Amino acid sequence: MKGLYLGLDFGTSGARSCVIDATGTMAYQAQITFSGQDALPQLWQKTLIALLAEIPPVYCREIQAIALNGTSATVLLCDAQGVPITEPLLYNDPRAKGEVDRVRELLPYCPVVHSATSSLAKLLWWQKQPYFTQGAYFLHQADWLAFLLHGKLGISDYHNALKLGYDVVTLTYPPALSCSPFGVLLPRIMSPGRPVGSIQRKWCDRFSLPPDCQICAGTTDSIAAFLASGATRPGDAVTSLGSTLVLKLLSSQKVDQAASGVYSHRLGSLWLTGGASNTGGAVLAHFFSPDELSRLSAQINPHQASPLHYYPLLRKGDRFPRNDPNLSPQLSPRPDDPVTFLHGLLESMARLEAEGYQRLKELGATPLTQVYTAGGGARNPQWTTIRQRHLCVPVQSSQQTEAAYGTAQLAYQGTVDRAS
């Protein structure tokens, strides 16, 4: 077995590994749930080591490249040796809300960072803390974990760096950041998947990894999941039907509009644009158990449109396709028949999905041609048929749904591109 590639996915509650070959065939996968009382960096490090230790040596010996993903905007402030000097700030940590006005002043044209949870807002919050002077490197979760493997500090990728304010068009930091007092802490940015360096010798000896195994620049968890789907061409999209409704469309054109809750990630020469709605599986779970959803869905005629028009939300406010924090849920009239009610909910969510892709087209994105589906809703055949009727394009389940698989593909593609 020659030429294997390892992807590592670090989420909020655990981590996964996936080993693939050059054809994309999965050779091995595993997962570990976070447990114990260790501080988060130590917990992540222990989990990384445990995932590597579990891979059979017969696979380890053939691994050519490794890439990692982490949750977007989970960040660490490290000293000159790469040791975190304080607890990491997680992707959803809002303590930097007092820095949002300062972020807007620094980068008024970059709405993706205008949030208390952005990487840049967190860096500015850290700048005001007494221990900030000990900091030498500002890193994302995936950056730090990759450093443990290749030993090179201060390197990130332009997926993770988007919410830090990195300009993914010019591939440079804006002067407002690079010339700032904290500019020396900013990581050097590489293309996701590009090899950073060989794995440190101590890991080769410990895990039977080849000494020329390359550690690649990483990505975020959501982009890794997109990469796993099979979407590769402009017009391909992935709809995630989880607790919320998330749309991601591969486009030839970059689309950003804060008023619509839309921004774009760079994906090589293309752009990954989209938005997220608060409608989705959480609304369905509020009204129906999993067994009820399966049983009642089977009684729906998906070829017949429901006359009910809802905006299914559990509480006030949505982000996309209608960015309105005061938008009220619309869940009436509610019929007595639960099949009719469920049909109306699924129909309305499909209508909002189609409205979202139409909105992206109106903003200049490549028109939709095909949709891959991830998340629990992908297993509902009646909903799939309803959605295809509204979307008017082929709809199918994602080829793979694990972010670790997409990250393994990134490691493979990065080393192939370098070789060519």
Side-chain angles (χ1 to χ4, degrees), residues 53 198 222 232 239 245 260 289 295 302 318 348 367:
S198 299
S222 63
T232 58
T239 295
L245 175 69
S260 298
S289 70
R295 176 172 53 83
D318 201 12
S348 298

Side-chain angles (χ1 to χ4, degrees), residues 342-380:
L342 176 58
H343 190 180
L345 290 174
L346 297 180
E347 190 90 26
S348 298
M349 290 178 186
R351 193 178 296 115
L352 288 172
E353 180 184 2
E355 183 180 330
Y357 285 119
Q358 178 61 29
R359 183 65 183 137
L360 294 176
K361 178 183 175 181
E362 292 169 354
L363 292 172
T366 301
L368 182 69
T369 57
Q370 179 167 261
V371 174
Y372 295 89
T373 310
R379 296 188 291 272
N380 187 319

Side-chain angles (χ1 to χ4, degrees), residues 154-188:
I155 297 174
S156 187
D157 63 89
Y158 59 62
H159 289 163
N160 276 291
L162 182 70
K163 293 182 180 178
L164 183 55
Y166 185 76
D167 189 330
V168 293
V169 176
T170 63
L171 297 179
T172 58
Y173 283 109
L177 301 185
S178 58
C179 298
S180 68
F182 56 76
V184 293
L185 277 71
L186 298 174
R188 177 166 63 93

Side-chain angles (χ1 to χ4, degrees), residues 9-240:
D9 164 41
F10 276 73
T12 55
S13 59
R16 297 172 183 266
S17 63
C18 180
V19 177
I20 65 171
D21 65 18
T23 69
T25 301
M26 189 184 303
Y28 171 86
Q29 64 177 332
Q31 69 179 81
I32 294 177
T33 300
F34 296 146
S35 62
Q37 302 301 314
D38 292 308
L40 279 177
Q42 286 71 43
L43 181 61
W44 295 339
Q45 183 171 357
K46 285 184 177 180
T47 303
L48 173 64
I49 291 172
L51 284 172
L52 293 172
E54 286 186 357
I55 302 173
V58 65
Y59 296 138
C60 278
R61 284 191 285 268
E62 302 300 333
I63 292 176
Q64 304 299 302
I66 301 172
L68 302 97
N69 77 69
T71 50
S72 176
T74 291
V75 293
L76 303 95
L77 184 64
C78 301
D79 66 16
Q81 284 71 48
V83 178
I85 62 175
T86 185
E87 64 180 91
L89 298 183
L90 300 182
Y91 71 101
N92 60 350
D93 193 311
R95 73 183 71 186
K97 59 185 178 181
E99 305 304 318
V100 173
D101 286 345
R102 189 177 166 206
V103 169
R104 291 179 186 273
E105 291 174 3
L106 277 173
L107 299 178
Y109 51 84
C110 187
V112 71
V113 301
H114 297 171
S115 164
T117 59
S118 73
S119 302
L120 181 57
K122 290 167 181 167
L123 175 56
L124 296 181
W125 183 84
W126 262 332
Q127 190 182 26
K128 293 183 176 180
Q129 309 311 309
Y131 49 78
F132 184 75
T133 55
Q134 304 172 40
Y137 295 98
F138 179 84
L139 300 174
H140 303 89
Q141 182 185 31
D143 310 337
W144 186 75
L145 288 164
F147 150 70
L148 297 179
L149 297 180
H150 57 56
K152 299 181 179 182
L153 274 165
I155 297 174
S156 187
D157 63 89
Y158 59 62
H159 289 163
N160 276 291
L162 182 70
K163 293 182 180 178
L164 183 55
Y166 185 76
D167 189 330
V168 293
V169 176
T170 63
L171 297 179
T172 58
Y173 283 109
L177 301 185
S178 58
C179 298
S180 68
F182 56 76
V184 293
L185 277 71
L186 298 174
R188 177 166 63 93
I189 306 302
M190 298 178 64
S191 299
R194 181 177 176 182
V196 175
S198 299
I199 192 167
Q200 294 190 78
R201 185 74 201 194
K202 63 180 180 180
W203 303 124
C204 299
D205 297 338
R206 186 168 179 178
F207 301 120
S208 301
L209 291 161
D212 59 350
C213 173
Q214 295 296 300
I215 310 302
C216 302
T219 185
T220 66
D221 53 349
S222 63
I223 294 182
F226 181 91
L227 296 174
S229 69
T232 58
R233 299 169 299 179
D236 286 354
V238 174
T239 295
S240 179

Side-chain angles (χ1 to χ4, degrees), residues 267-348:
L267 208 60
S269 61
L270 300 174
W271 299 95
L272 186 58
T273 186
S277 172
N278 293 333
T279 194
V283 178
L284 299 176
H286 179 76
F287 293 106
F288 304 101
S289 70
D291 288 343
E292 288 173 330
L293 277 174
S294 178
R295 176 172 53 83
L296 297 174
S297 292
Q299 300 176 54
I300 293 173
N301 178 0
H303 301 287
Q304 180 177 336
S306 168
L308 297 171
H309 283 253
Y310 298 138
Y311 203 112
L313 300 171
L314 292 180
R315 57 189 62 85
K316 184 182 291 188
D318 201 12
R319 301 166 287 169
F320 180 81
R322 307 177 199 179
N323 190 13
D324 181 357
N326 297 311
L327 182 66
S328 296
Q330 299 170 31
L331 293 165
S332 62
R334 179 174 176 178
D336 294 332
D337 177 22
V339 175
T340 303
F341 181 48
L342 176 58
H343 190 180
L345 290 174
L346 297 180
E347 190 90 26
S348 298

